[in-house]
Amino acid sequence: MSVNNRKYIVLLGVPGAGKGTQAQLLQDKLGLPQISTGDIFRYNLKNETELGLLAKSYMDKGDLVPDEVTIRMVEDRLQQDDCANGAIMDGFPRNLVQAEAFEKMAAPYGGVSVTPLVSIEDDVAIERITGRRTCRTCGAVYHIKFNPPKQADICDNDGGPLYQRDDDKAETVRNRLYVYYKQTAPLVGYYFAKALLVELDGARPISQVHEELLSLLR
Ligand code: ADP
Ligand code: AMP
Ligand code: ZN
């Protein structure tokens, strides 16, 4: 009997750790799509879908969107053709209920492969989040100081306008860190116990973190 094994990589780390940045760099190299639940919510919000409007009230406060909605959204996304070899999970799972649901989704394909934890200090996270700029059209991520676009406020990829996410403003950022420690941090122990955790120093430049991730994943 042949088993269709897939590679499911779960990136862990506080908001601002660099998960999205690294996932975007890894996609092409590994031939796996980045699945960012935050990006999917923002896409729905932009298009004013029912899902987007529901998510908005939680995102504005920096709280988690309810599990039922989030889990169903990821189940649907993973059934698309581009996920036939697995996926790079960015921002999901984010609590133990989601982790257990994801375990069930991944089980038929060999389970979760590895969960790299990108570690940084909270003050670094705050500096990164408040300086983050995102492309309105393609979702590419920049930083005004650490990873600026070639031309101010314009995306290198597609010329789209860069904007600051509402939830990247200082008031919301503290609650997002609080939610991380309360709800998401337990996943570190959860995956450590399953021998899937690898910790990386995320305080280094983007390219160095990328090289380490690549050598770890290949
Ligand atoms: P996350 O997806 O974990 O919330 P992002 O990938 O969006 O984090 O990164 C947060 C911000 O920090 C972005 O503005 C990004 O350009 C910047 N950034 C990401 N990785 C690094 C790094 N290694 N050094 C400096 N800045 C970084
Ligand atoms: P992110 O883009 O990962 O920073 O996520 C932005 C916001 O989207 C979060 O603050 C949550 O409100 C929501 N969100 C993203 N991923 C999840 C998830 N896995 N579960 C619940 N809410 C999420
Ligand atoms: Zn763009």
Side-chain angles (χ1 to χ4, degrees), residues 37 45 89 91 109 115 128 138-139 155 163 171 180 201 218:
T37 39
L45 192 56
M89 307 304 295
Y109 309 105
T115 62
R128 285 194 188 169
C138 77
C155 177
Y163 77 107
E171 314 83 73
Y180 173 84
D201 174 9
R218 272 184 172 148

Side-chain angles (χ1 to χ4, degrees), residues 4-9 30-35 77-78 80-89 102 106 109 111 113:
N4 173 14
N5 271 333
R6 297 181 177 182
K7 204 166 179 79
Y8 289 117
I9 299 162
L30 301 179
L32 297 173
Q34 167 197 22
I35 297 191
R77 179 67 187 84
L78 287 176
Q80 291 174 16
D81 291 346
D82 61 336
C83 299
N85 294 318
I88 305 165
M89 307 304 295
F102 188 55
Y109 309 105
S113 312

Side-chain angles (χ1 to χ4, degrees), residues 157-178:
N157 299 338
D158 58 5
L162 305 188
Y163 77 107
Q164 182 177 34
R165 286 167 44 180
D166 283 340
D167 63 345
D168 278 352
K169 298 187 178 147
E171 314 83 73
T172 320
V173 170
R174 292 216 165 257
N175 187 49
R176 287 166 63 203
L177 285 172
Y178 173 77

Side-chain angles (χ1 to χ4, degrees), residues 190-211:
Y190 176 86
Y191 287 120
F192 175 80
K194 293 179 184 291
L196 293 173
L197 193 78
V198 249
E199 194 168 347
L200 293 95
D201 174 9
R204 294 165 303 157
I206 292 172
S207 59
Q208 279 184 33
V209 178
H210 175 60
E211 289 307 321

